Amino acid sequence: MARAGLDKAAVVERAAQLANEFGLEHIQLKMLAESLNIQPPSLYNHISGLNDLHYELMLYGWKHMEERMVEAASDTSGYAAWEALGRGFYDYATENPGVFSAMLWYNKYQDHETMMVTGQIFSICSEAAASVGISEEDCNHLIRTFRAFLEGFSLLVNNKAFGHWLPVEDSFDFSLKLLIAGMKELEAERE
C-alpha cells in the first residue's frame, strides 16, 4: 500500500538523509522502504531501482550544491566569486558526505537533466572568468581544475584521510588561495 503524500522527491530526500548518516554504500532499498514505513515494492512507484536512486541522489546533490554555490557567490565577481564558489562547494560536500559520494561521477553532458542541474554554476564561473580577462577556453580548463581539486580534497576530508596535525581548514584555504594565484598568473600572461 502506498503511503499518502509520498512522492519521488520525498523518497530521494529520505535517501539523502540516510546516505549522509550511514554512507551511500550502505543504502539498500529495503532500508529506505523501512525508514519510510512502506513495503519495498512500493518504492518502485517512485524509482526503478538502486541505480536509479543513485542517479536521483546525484541530481539532488548537484541541485543543492548549485544552490549553495550560487548563494555563496552572490554579490561577488572575479576572483572573489571563484573563491566563494570553491568554499560553497567544499562546505556542501563535507556537510553531506553520502550525497557527495553519489555526485562524484557526474558528467554534465550525460543527458539533458545533468546539463540543466548545474547551468547556473557554469554561468557564474564564465562570468567571473570573463570579468578578469580569462578566455572561455581557459575558463573550461579552470572549471576542470577546480572540480578536480574540490572533489579530491572533499573526498579526502570525508574519508578522514588527512592525519597531519595541521588544521584541514587551513590547508583548504591555502590551496584555494594557491589556485586563485594561478588564475592571476593566467591573467598577467595576457597583459
Side-chain angles (χ1 to χ4, degrees):
M1 174 196 272
R3 195 178 90 192
L6 186 65
D7 60 9
K8 185 177 189 174
V11 169
V12 174
E13 180 71 36
R14 183 63 185 135
Q17 293 166 354
L18 292 171
N20 287 334
E21 185 176 348
F22 298 107
L24 179 67
E25 67 279 6
H26 297 291
I27 303 305
Q28 297 297 323
L29 296 181
K30 182 179 181 199
M31 170 196 240
L32 177 58
E34 287 173 359
S35 74
L36 292 166
N37 295 316
I38 60 173
Q39 294 298 313
S42 296
L43 283 175
Y44 292 98
N45 293 324
H46 310 289
I47 56 168
S48 65
L50 196 55
N51 285 339
D52 185 38
L53 180 63
H54 286 184
Y55 176 81
E56 292 298 330
L57 282 171
M58 182 264 298
L59 292 176
Y60 169 94
W62 279 106
K63 177 181 178 249
H64 287 87
M65 171 81 75
E66 179 180 68
E67 290 170 0
R68 177 74 68 91
M69 292 172 73
V70 168
E71 181 182 326
S74 67
D75 301 324
T76 64
S77 63
Y79 301 117
W82 281 89
E83 190 169 347
L85 288 164
R87 174 55 66 184
F89 183 108
Y90 174 74
D91 289 345
Y92 183 83
T94 56
E95 291 167 11
N96 298 278
V99 172
F100 180 64
S101 291
M103 296 166 60
L104 286 174
W105 309 118
Y106 163 79
N107 178 350
K108 173 184 174 181
Y109 302 103
Q110 180 177 335
D111 55 41
H112 180 70
E113 284 183 291
T114 55
M115 188 165 273
M116 298 305 295
V117 79
T118 56
Q120 280 186 288
I121 295 172
F122 285 90
S123 177
I124 289 173
C125 289
S126 294
E127 290 170 17
S131 74
V132 294
I134 294 172
S135 71
E136 185 178 339
E137 181 179 343
D138 284 349
C139 177
N140 287 321
H141 291 306
L142 284 170
I143 289 170
R144 285 181 175 173
T145 301
F146 269 78
R147 178 182 176 191
F149 159 67
L150 292 167
E151 285 190 11
F153 200 96
S154 299
L155 188 60
L156 290 168
V157 169
N158 287 350
N159 286 285
K160 299 173 182 29
F162 290 121
H164 194 274
W165 59 267
L166 282 171
V168 172
E169 289 296 315
D170 291 353
S171 296
F172 178 79
D173 290 338
F174 178 88
S175 301
L176 199 52
K177 287 181 187 340
L178 194 61
L179 283 171
I180 299 296
M183 289 176 68
K184 291 177 180 176
E185 188 68 27
L186 278 178
E187 181 185 10
E189 287 174 8
R190 284 184 173 62
E191 295 175 353

